[in-house]
Amino acid sequence: MIKLDEMQKRLLEEVADLHTIPEGAYNIRSNGQSAARQSTANIEIVSKTDVSGLEVHIKPGTRNESVHIPVVMTQSGLKELVYNDFYVGEDADVVIVAGCGIDNCGNSDSEHDGIHRFFVGKNAKVKYVEKHYGSGNGKGKRILNPGTEVYQEEGSVVEMEMVQIKGVDDTTRTTTAKLAAGARLTVRERLMTHGEQRAISSYVVTLDGKDAVADVVSRSVARDTSYQKFEAKIVGNAPSRGHTECDSIIMDQGRILAVPALEANDLDAALVHEAAIGKIAGEQLIKLMTLGLTEQEAEEQIINGFLR
Amino acid sequence: MLEMKNVSFGVLADGSDKEIVRGVNLTIPDGKLIVITGPNGGGKSTLAKLIAGIEVPTDGKILLDGEDITGMSVTERARHGIGFAFQQPVKFKGIRVLDLIRIAAGKRLSVADACEYLSAVGLCARDYVDREVNASLSGGELKRIEIATVLARHPRLAVFDEPEAGIDLWSFQNLIAVFEHLRKTISDGSIMIISHQERILNIADEIIVLKDGALQARGTKEEVLPLLGSVVATMGECYSTERRKGETQA
Ligand SMILES: Nc1ncnc2c1ncn2[C@@H]1O[C@H](COP(=O)(O)OP(=O)(O)O)[C@@H](O)[C@H]1O
Ligand SMILES: [Mg+2]
C-alpha cells in the first residue's frame, strides 16, 4: 500500500468525505496507481486486464454495504483514461461513492477521464455519489471527463448525486441510462463554475419498460466568464414517466445554454421538462440585507441554499 | 425613536416626475405602536421601504435615535436595529425556514430556539424548520415566517407591512397577541404596522392616515377612527369589507 501525502488526503476528504480508510470495499487510485484496495465477502474489486480500470462485483442480496473508489491526482501533466464496471446483483442495496480530486500546481494540464458502467440487477438499489474537485494554482488545467452508463433491470432503483462545485477547469460529462419495466432513476446534479471554466453535461435517459420513472434535476451557477451547457433528453418508449429540470443562476458574465429535450414513442409516455435561467433576484438580496447581511453575504447564502 | 423630517420620494414615470411620498413629517416614539393606514396606492409600502433603506428619499432626512440614517445602506440600517417584514414575502430555493431564522438572529440558534419564533407566529415549528422557504408554502405560512424573521432580529424599530394579509381568522387572534407582546418587550424601541384591519387599528397608540403620499390625519384611535369614515369612503369596498369581517369576528 502506498502512503498518501497531506495533499492527497485533503483531496480525498473533498471528494469522498473520507478522513481515514473507509469501511467496506474500496479502491483508492492515486496518480494513476492503486494506492489501496479492499474487497469484502460480498463485494469483489478486481483490476481489468485489457485496459486501465476496475471491475466491481456486488453479490445478489448484499445489503447496507458501501464501495468507495476515489481518485486523486497531484502530479501535473498526468492524463489517464479509466474504465470502471459495476455489476450489482439482484436485490442488493448499496452505496457507491466515486469522485475525483485534482491538485495541479504545475503548468501542464492534468486530465482524468473515467468511464463508469453500471449493470443494475432486478430490484437492486444503488445510491451513487460522485464529487469533483480541483485545486492548485498552476497554469495547467484540471480536466475531468466522466462518462456514465447505467443499465437498469426490472424494478431497480438508482439515485445519482453529481456534484462539482470548485476548481475543475474543463469538464464534459455524458450520462446515459436505460430503464426496464418498473425501474426508477433520479439524478441530482449540482454544478458551479468560476473564472474561465467550461462545463458540459448531457443526459440521455431511455424509458424502455412499463412504469419506468426518471427524474433528472440540475441546479447550477455560472460565475465570472464561465460557460455551461446542459442537455437532457428523456425518451419514452413505453408507458412511463419522465421529468427533467434545469434551474440555473448566472452571475457576472457567466453564460449558460440549456437544451431540454423530450421524445415520446408511446402514447402513454408522460414527459415533462422545465428550464429556467436568470440572475439572483434583487428582492432576495434585499430581504437578506434587511436581516443584516451585506450584499456579498446575501449572495453567498442564496447560492449555498440553491446548490444544497 | 424614529423621525422622518420632510421626507419626499419621487420617481420618473413616463417622462414626468411622480411624487409617491410628499413631505412626510413623522415621529415614532419608543414604546409606542403606530399604525399606518390609508387607501391602496397611498404610499404606505414606499414609506416603509424608505425607513428600511430599500428606497432613498429624494428629499428630507430620516433619524434613528437622533442619528441621521438617510445615507445608510439597507444592511447598515438592519444592523442599527431596523426590522422590516415585507408585504410580499420573498421566496428562496434551497434556503430552509431554519436557515432564514438563523440568518435573522445573526447566530446559529439551536433548533429549539428557532422554533420559539415560529411558535410565536402560530406555526407548529417541528413541521416547518426543515421546509424550504419556497412556493410550496402557502401565502399565509410565508407571511408568518416573514414576521418570525423580524421577531428573531429583536429590532429597535419593527416595521410590518400588512401582516394580516393571507392570515386566517384563527391565527389573526395570535397575531394580535404577538404585536401586543412585542409592544411590552420593546420598551426601548417601537413598532410600526401598516394595516387596514380594524382590530390592528384598535391596538394602536397612534394612527396615521397616508393618502396620495401625504399625511392626511393622525391621532389616537378615538381621534382618528371617526375621521376614517370620510377617508374610508374614498377607499371603497376594500376597506368596508374588512370592517364587516372585523365586526363578525367580535
Ligand atoms: N419605484 C417605483 N416606481 C414607480 N412607481 C412606484 C414605485 N414604487 C411605488 N410606486 C407607485 O407608488 C404608489 C404607492 O405605492 P405603495 O407605496 O405600494 O402604496 P400602498 O402600499 O399604500 O398601497 C403606487 O401607485 C405605486 O404603483
Ligand atoms: Mg402596500
Side-chain angles (χ1 to χ4, degrees):
Chain A
M1 178 170 147
I2 299 167
K3 232 179 134 38
L4 298 175
D5 64 24
E6 283 311 309
M7 175 53 72
Q8 289 167 326
K9 282 185 192 159
R10 206 169 67 77
L11 290 175
L12 265 186
E13 247 182 75
E14 288 287 348
V15 299
D17 295 321
L18 288 181
H19 305 276
T20 53
I21 294 298
E23 279 180 40
Y26 60 84
N27 182 80
I28 299 171
R29 184 183 174 93
S30 170
N31 290 332
Q33 286 175 294
S34 176
R37 176 180 303 171
Q38 177 170 284
S39 295
T40 65
N42 294 322
I43 301 176
E44 191 192 14
I45 302 180
V46 294
S47 294
K48 277 185 180 290
T49 48
D50 48 345
V51 285
S52 186
L54 305 169
E55 273 184 21
V56 178
H57 294 271
I58 298 167
K59 280 191 187 160
T62 302
R63 305 228 138 218
N64 301 321
E65 284 199 43
S66 62
V67 186
H68 284 82
I69 50 152
V71 172
V72 295
M73 290 170 79
T74 53
Q75 187 186 321
S76 182
L78 196 65
K79 280 195 169 66
E80 58 181 16
L81 173 60
V82 176
Y83 296 85
N84 293 330
D85 289 339
F86 299 82
Y87 298 89
V88 184
E90 289 183 13
D91 294 313
D93 184 347
V94 289
V95 175
I96 300 172
V97 181
C100 181
I102 301 182
D103 182 79
N104 191 351
C105 295
N107 293 325
S108 337
D109 295 351
S110 297
E111 177 170 337
H112 174 85
D113 297 347
I115 313 292
H116 288 183
R117 294 194 299 173
F118 294 84
F119 302 92
V120 185
K122 277 186 192 158
N123 301 318
K125 208 174 156 211
V126 176
K127 181 175 164 105
Y128 177 63
V129 181
E130 185 181 292
K131 281 191 192 169
H132 291 166
Y133 174 81
S135 61
N137 39 22
K139 278 212 193 78
K141 285 189 169 170
R142 291 143 300 187
I143 303 171
L144 279 169
N145 295 316
T148 309
E149 294 170 29
V150 183
Y151 301 93
Q152 290 186 240
E153 289 184 27
E154 284 89 40
S156 62
V157 177
V158 174
E159 239 179 85
M160 304 177 83
E161 207 182 295
M162 322 282 231
V163 183
Q164 180 176 311
I165 300 295
K166 236 183 131 179
V168 178
D169 295 302
D170 202 306
T171 189
T172 302
R173 175 202 293 282
T174 54
T175 306
T176 60
K178 282 180 173 294
L179 279 68
R184 279 191 291 147
L185 170 70
T186 51
V187 177
R188 296 276 170 274
E189 184 183 72
R190 298 286 180 266
L191 176 64
M192 178 149 75
T193 50
H194 302 256
E196 297 170 5
Q197 294 168 1
R198 201 186 66 106
I200 293 175
S201 182
S202 94
Y203 291 85
V204 178
V205 177
T206 312
L207 305 171
D208 285 328
K210 188 171 181 301
D211 296 330
V213 180
D215 187 24
V216 178
V217 177
S218 165
R219 285 219 178 147
S220 74
V221 177
R223 321 179 78 131
D224 305 323
T225 57
S226 64
Y227 176 77
Q228 298 177 9
K229 180 175 173 184
F230 176 81
E231 284 178 303
K233 180 177 180 184
I234 300 193
V235 181
N237 291 331
S240 53
R241 283 186 291 133
H243 171 246
T244 134
E245 185 180 328
C246 162
D247 205 341
S248 305
I249 291 177
I250 39 171
M251 299 171 75
D252 315 310
Q253 280 94 55
R255 292 180 302 136
I256 294 180
L257 171 64
V259 193
L262 303 175
E263 181 179 325
N265 298 316
D266 186 288
L267 184 61
D268 289 310
L271 310 175
V272 177
H273 78 67
E274 300 171 72
I277 304 174
K279 63 177 181 194
I280 294 177
E283 55 167 26
Q284 292 184 331
L285 290 170
I286 288 174
K287 172 63 201 175
L288 296 187
M289 286 158 70
T290 66
L291 298 180
L293 301 190
T294 62
E295 185 168 351
Q296 229 177 348
E297 289 166 342
E299 236 175 53
E300 256 167 57
Q301 288 284 351
I302 292 164
I303 286 175
N304 284 347
F306 185 72
L307 293 175
R308 211 159 66 89
Chain B
M1 182 174 75
L2 183 96
E3 295 164 274
M4 298 186 94
K5 295 194 167 165
N6 218 3
V7 170
S8 294
F9 176 69
V11 292
L12 204 60
D14 307 324
S16 63
D17 284 332
K18 185 181 171 200
E19 286 273 281
I20 297 169
V21 170
R22 306 158 192 260
V24 167
N25 285 293
L26 160 68
T27 302
I28 307 180
D30 282 353
K32 293 280 188 256
L33 192 161
I34 307 292
V35 173
I36 313 256
T37 193
N40 288 330
K44 302 181 297 298
S45 291
T46 307
L47 195 72
K49 287 178 190 165
L50 287 164
I51 294 171
I54 297 167
E55 301 284 11
V56 178
T58 35
D59 208 358
K61 273 190 173 34
I62 304 175
L63 311 178
L64 183 67
D65 295 332
E67 186 183 359
D68 188 344
I69 61 165
T70 321
M72 277 188 191
S73 68
V74 175
T75 307
E76 284 174 286
R77 291 191 204 199
R79 290 178 179 177
H80 271 72
I82 293 180
F84 177 36
F86 289 27
Q87 182 172 1
Q88 258 119 24
V90 179
K91 300 180 206 86
F92 297 91
K93 281 182 182 156
I95 294 185
R96 296 168 306 164
V97 174
L98 178 63
D99 302 326
L100 204 60
I101 301 279
R102 280 178 174 165
I103 291 170
K107 56 184 178 211
R108 242 190 117 72
L109 285 182
S110 70
V111 173
D113 287 344
C115 283
E116 298 249 319
Y117 295 110
L118 293 172
S119 304
V121 293
L123 290 176
C124 179
R126 298 262 157 234
D127 299 346
Y128 285 93
V129 278
D130 284 333
R131 296 275 299 272
E132 287 184 26
V133 188
N134 63 19
S136 74
L137 294 164
S138 75
E141 288 167 334
L142 286 166
K143 204 71 193 173
R144 284 188 259 179
I145 291 161
E146 181 75 7
I147 294 166
T149 62
V150 171
L151 299 181
R153 286 202 64 69
H154 296 284
R156 278 152 73 192
L157 172 68
V159 180
F160 299 93
D161 195 350
E162 299 199 22
E164 74 270 18
I167 291 188
D168 57 79
L169 289 185
W170 184 84
S171 317
F172 196 77
Q173 197 53 42
N174 284 322
L175 195 63
I176 300 280
V178 166
F179 293 134
E180 297 211 294
H181 178 74
L182 189 61
R183 177 182 15 204
K184 277 193 213 117
T185 50
I186 199 168
S187 56
D188 59 340
S190 36
I191 306 167
M192 173 176 145
I193 307 177
I194 295 169
S195 177
H196 297 293
Q197 245 294 341
E198 189 161 9
R199 292 172 68 189
I200 290 180
L201 296 180
N202 277 336
I203 60 168
D205 294 307
E206 188 179 21
I207 297 170
I208 289 168
V209 182
L210 196 68
K211 194 188 166 205
D212 297 329
L215 293 195
Q216 182 91 355
R218 62 183 302 171
T220 62
K221 54 181 171 275
E222 289 77 17
E223 291 162 352
V224 176
L225 277 179
L227 298 177
L228 271 179
S230 61
V231 179
V232 169
T234 61
M235 288 184 212
E237 262 310 291
C238 174
Y239 191 82
S240 50
T241 45
E242 288 290 335
R243 284 204 108 170
R244 262 184 255 125
K245 255 193 245 159
E247 278 158 14
T248 51
Q249 273 167 48

